[in-house]
Amino acid sequence: MFKSITNCKYFIIISCIISWSSFAGNVSPNDPAIASAHPLATQAGYDILKQGGNAFDAAVAVSSVLSVVEPYSSGLGGGGFFLLHRESDQFQIFVDAREKAPGKADADMYLDEFKNVIPRVSLDGTLAAGIPGLAAGLTHVSEKYGVLPLDQVLAPAIALAENGFPVYERFITALKVAIAIDVMSPKFIENFTLEGEIPEVGTLIKQPELANTLRVIASQGHDGFYNSELTETIVTESNESGSIWTTNDFKNYEIVEREPLQVKFSDYQLTLAPPPSSGGTTIATILNILSEYNYRDMNTAEFVHLITEAMRRAYKDRSEFLGDPDFVVVPVLKLISKNNAIKHSSSINLDRATPSKQIGKSFEANPKEKGTETTHFSILDQDGNRVSTTQTINTWFGSGYMLPSAGFILNNEMDDFSAKAFAPNRYGLVHGEANSKAPNKRMVSSMSPTFIESKDDLAILGTPGGAKIITMVLLSLISWTEGADADAMTSGRRFHHQYLPDEIHHEKDAFGEDVIDSLVSKGHSLKEIGDYGNMQVVTYKKSDGSVKASSDPRALIENSEIDFY
Ligand code: GLY
């Protein structure tokens, strides 16, 4: 059933699956492990496992609770990707619950009469929102892969929406950012503030309308959200606030099950996100370029220069070729081929930075988001089933528009399309025609849920962070292959280059002075930015069955105890 990697045509290969479990004997994880951005979500996942659920049931519980307690990151008004592994038959699948452009979307909908981009229309309010996919993802994962009934796995989220969750510092930070933008809808202000004032830590936030919406999904499944009275209300209310949504957009919404990218790197089998995520393709391209060099023999400065040059070229490919594979041909095999790596390597000078304008076009690209939006969780159950999920409403609190009756915030994912060719989005990312808007098309994403497996061990990882998701996962992945543990993966200092702007963005202390001097002497521009990301990692050592869950120390939400197994 499984082909050996050596029989495959490409250096890095799609659709070649190695079953490491055949090498590993029958050892199972000693415990389940869950890492998520909020203790209440992690707790809900463990509770569902205790009730007899599997990792897929737990994923639905964690995801839906995050929608309630972390509404600045993700929610029923957004979408996500679920990377699944079923241990019994080694089946792996990528459930694409990404938002889609409404049927009335138009390539020029965010341009003025002179074809200039109208600022913030793709970010604020209902016109910025794609048709949400998360509810379809939840019902699909539950019904096809779970063992518990949907109402049971949604029960923790319903209870927290009904009874309230305590406000915490990170929520307040997000709220302050949102309120400063001043586009939050009346229901948003009513739900999340005390008549416009920021609530104190510990204040209970109740969301009865959201509880009702979750109940409708629990009782009616997919149709409860996409083809019901609730759908009519969602569309009517959003239309009253300017959206172009129709009930047909909802009736037509479906998740897509896609083959994950399967890639070999060193002794590791990587399971990566395929288009419309740009994550897997870009990570594989960078790793392929690295593999053209003895990078392990390099000192830190030499390595950072090389990987920066690889990032620059892979993100350039991303900007030109990535799009919704149901609408455009994305040449994934070509991009992740050895030939492409050789081509890119031939233009790399190990002594000098290559100006981005020398390898492509030059566009203004000024990222406005640091890289904390969105959310990720990782799960391993005791049978060895795995889930790696990243879900989002795009920027913090998405479009800022909360539906009065349904009680969830609409995404502003339409900003992930190009407003026009090579106009930078909120993350400073530029895209070509492949990612132009069209009715019912999915916008390119950077979300990169990932598995890394060898015959000895396994890591399940991912992170929020917009354009920087890809390089965060890349750096952690490489560190894992060099012996880092889960905590080192989540805490490692980060740096990033995305082709445009032509700058290395880095956290404080990511580099020593000697590395900075060396990079500058090679012609790189460096920009120190604050900490970013919120990585969630689960690891498993097959030799002794030990597991570890690690949450990013940059964004830990304390004040809550988890009843682990
Ligand atoms: N909205 C961010 C992403 O999907 O990449």
Side-chain angles (χ1 to χ4, degrees):
M1 181 176 165
F2 300 111
K3 285 194 273 180
S4 155
I5 205 94
T6 52
N7 292 335
C8 293
K9 187 172 168 195
Y10 295 93
F11 176 67
I12 276 181
I13 304 108
I14 285 187
S15 296
C16 288
I17 297 172
I18 287 186
S19 172
W20 288 118
S21 54
S22 56
F23 296 100
N26 291 326
V27 179
S28 298
N30 295 336
D31 298 293
I34 300 177
S36 91
H38 198 292
L40 290 170
T42 305
Q43 181 68 65
Y46 282 117
D47 289 346
I48 288 298
L49 292 175
K50 279 184 193 163
Q51 291 167 29
N54 60 17
F56 313 120
D57 294 305
V60 178
V62 172
S63 167
S64 53
V65 168
L66 288 170
S67 297
V68 175
V69 303
E70 219 200 2
Y72 49 85
S73 287
S74 70
L76 296 179
F81 296 140
F82 297 78
L83 182 61
L84 311 180
H85 167 97
R86 188 171 55 207
E87 181 65 7
S88 58
D89 57 358
Q90 303 294 297
F91 174 76
Q92 297 197 342
I93 202 74
F94 180 82
V95 177
D96 171 356
R98 183 70 163 160
E99 299 91 330
K100 293 170 79 165
K104 290 186 185 168
D106 173 81
D108 292 346
M109 64 192 278
Y110 302 128
L111 304 183
D112 66 16
E113 55 186 312
F114 306 108
K115 304 275 180 204
N116 294 320
V117 178
I118 308 169
R120 296 206 66 94
V121 192
S122 62
L123 287 164
D124 301 333
T126 56
L127 210 53
I131 305 304
L134 191 70
L138 295 179
T139 53
H140 179 80
V141 170
S142 168
E143 284 157 15
K144 187 155 179 193
Y145 300 105
V147 292
L148 296 181
L150 181 60
D151 60 349
Q152 189 172 342
V153 291
L154 290 180
I158 294 170
L160 283 161
E162 190 72 51
N163 304 326
F165 71 90
V167 166
Y168 49 96
E169 288 292 354
R170 193 168 164 81
F171 183 90
I172 289 175
T173 305
L175 204 50
K176 284 181 181 162
V177 172
I179 285 173
I181 298 169
D182 198 22
V183 291
M184 302 301 137
S185 69
K187 186 68 185 172
F188 178 104
I189 299 288
E190 180 193 318
N191 259 26
F192 293 152
T193 70
L194 303 169
E195 295 178 357
E197 298 299 314
I198 307 271
E200 285 180 9
V201 168
T203 309
L204 275 190
I205 298 236
K206 298 185 183 182
Q207 302 173 80
E209 295 84 5
L210 182 57
N212 280 339
T213 299
L214 285 161
R215 271 195 208 95
V216 173
I217 298 170
S219 62
Q220 297 176 41
H222 176 101
D223 278 356
F225 193 87
Y226 294 95
N227 192 9
S228 71
E229 259 180 55
L230 173 66
T231 320
E232 306 267 348
T233 310
I234 290 171
V235 171
T236 305
E237 287 184 352
S238 68
N239 288 168
E240 282 165 7
S241 285
S243 91
I244 52 173
W245 289 1
T246 66
T247 48
N248 269 344
D249 290 333
F250 281 72
K251 279 186 197 145
N252 295 336
Y253 185 88
E254 281 178 357
I255 61 93
V256 184
E257 287 209 335
R258 303 186 192 275
E259 284 287 318
L261 293 191
Q262 294 290 343
V263 162
K264 181 96 165 66
F265 176 65
S266 185
D267 293 332
Y268 293 82
Q269 185 69 18
L270 313 181
T271 304
L272 302 171
S277 169
S278 57
T281 310
T282 308
I283 289 169
T285 305
I286 296 168
L287 293 176
N288 256 350
I289 296 172
L290 286 187
S291 300
E292 291 297 306
Y293 299 83
N294 288 326
Y295 70 90
R296 287 201 164 96
D297 294 340
M298 292 179 169
N299 65 34
T300 306
E302 289 166 339
F303 175 73
V304 174
H305 169 67
L306 173 62
I307 198 168
T308 298
E309 293 303 316
M311 289 174 183
R312 182 196 311 280
R313 286 157 177 81
Y315 271 80
K316 175 187 174 277
D317 283 354
R318 178 196 187 282
S319 73
E320 281 178 29
F321 298 111
L322 266 294
D324 180 347
D326 298 335
F327 280 70
V328 293
V329 176
V330 186
V332 176
L333 274 179
K334 198 171 156 193
L335 294 173
I336 66 171
S337 68
K338 185 168 174 63
N339 276 349
N340 196 36
I342 292 171
K343 189 194 95 189
H344 282 320
S345 306
S346 69
S347 71
I348 292 178
N349 179 340
L350 290 179
D351 298 321
R352 289 298 302 165
T354 313
S356 289
K357 61 176 187 267
Q358 199 170 303
I359 59 164
K361 302 171 181 146
S362 182
F363 297 98
E364 181 90 1
N366 185 12
K368 302 281 194 316
E369 299 290 332
K370 199 171 69 174
T372 41
E373 319 72 15
T374 306
T375 198
H376 178 88
F377 61 88
S378 298
I379 303 180
L380 177 70
D381 72 18
Q382 269 185 282
D383 292 327
N385 301 309
R386 311 164 199 163
V387 179
S388 185
T389 292
T390 315
Q391 59 185 51
T392 187
I393 52 173
N394 199 21
T395 59
W396 270 9
F397 287 115
S399 70
Y401 180 83
M402 180 180 276
L403 286 164
S405 301
F408 59 80
I409 300 169
L410 306 193
N411 68 82
N412 57 0
E413 222 71 59
M414 293 294 282
D415 190 62
D416 278 350
F417 281 118
S418 34
K420 70 176 182 183
F422 299 105
N425 73 0
R426 188 77 184 157
Y427 301 102
L429 289 167
V430 294
H431 301 103
E433 288 301 333
N435 190 35
S436 64
K437 285 178 289 302
N440 306 314
K441 190 175 174 184
R442 286 165 153 87
M443 56 295 283
V444 165
S445 173
S446 298
M447 294 189 291
S448 308
T450 297
F451 302 143
I452 316 170
E453 187 167 20
S454 74
K455 64 182 173 42
D456 300 318
D457 51 34
L458 164 72
I460 305 169
L461 71 154
T463 180
K468 296 186 178 73
I469 291 174
I470 298 168
T471 52
M472 281 187 263
V473 170
L474 171 83
L475 295 176
S476 282
L477 182 162
I478 293 172
S479 73
W480 174 251
T481 66
E482 304 204 325
D485 67 5
D487 287 338
M489 290 168 85
T490 56
S491 63
R493 306 310 288 165
R494 295 172 176 149
F495 62 93
H496 171 80
H497 195 293
Q498 61 181 48
Y499 164 52
L500 296 170
D502 193 349
E503 288 169 339
I504 300 175
H505 288 185
H506 64 94
E507 293 183 327
K508 188 168 168 21
D509 299 332
F511 308 131
E513 283 303 320
D514 55 332
V515 174
I516 291 179
D517 290 347
S518 169
L519 291 169
V520 170
S521 75
K522 286 181 161 71
H524 291 285
S525 295
L526 276 75
K527 184 171 175 182
E528 184 183 308
I529 60 171
D531 287 1
Y532 59 90
N534 191 5
M535 185 168 282
Q536 307 295 328
V537 175
V538 163
T539 57
Y540 165 44
K541 296 271 178 214
K542 296 178 186 177
S543 55
D544 61 4
S546 62
V547 298
K548 173 128 182 100
S550 180
S551 291
D552 202 314
R554 294 164 183 80
L556 276 186
I557 296 169
E558 291 167 20
N559 81 2
S560 182
E561 288 184 6
I562 298 193
D563 173 21
F564 289 105
Y565 262 57

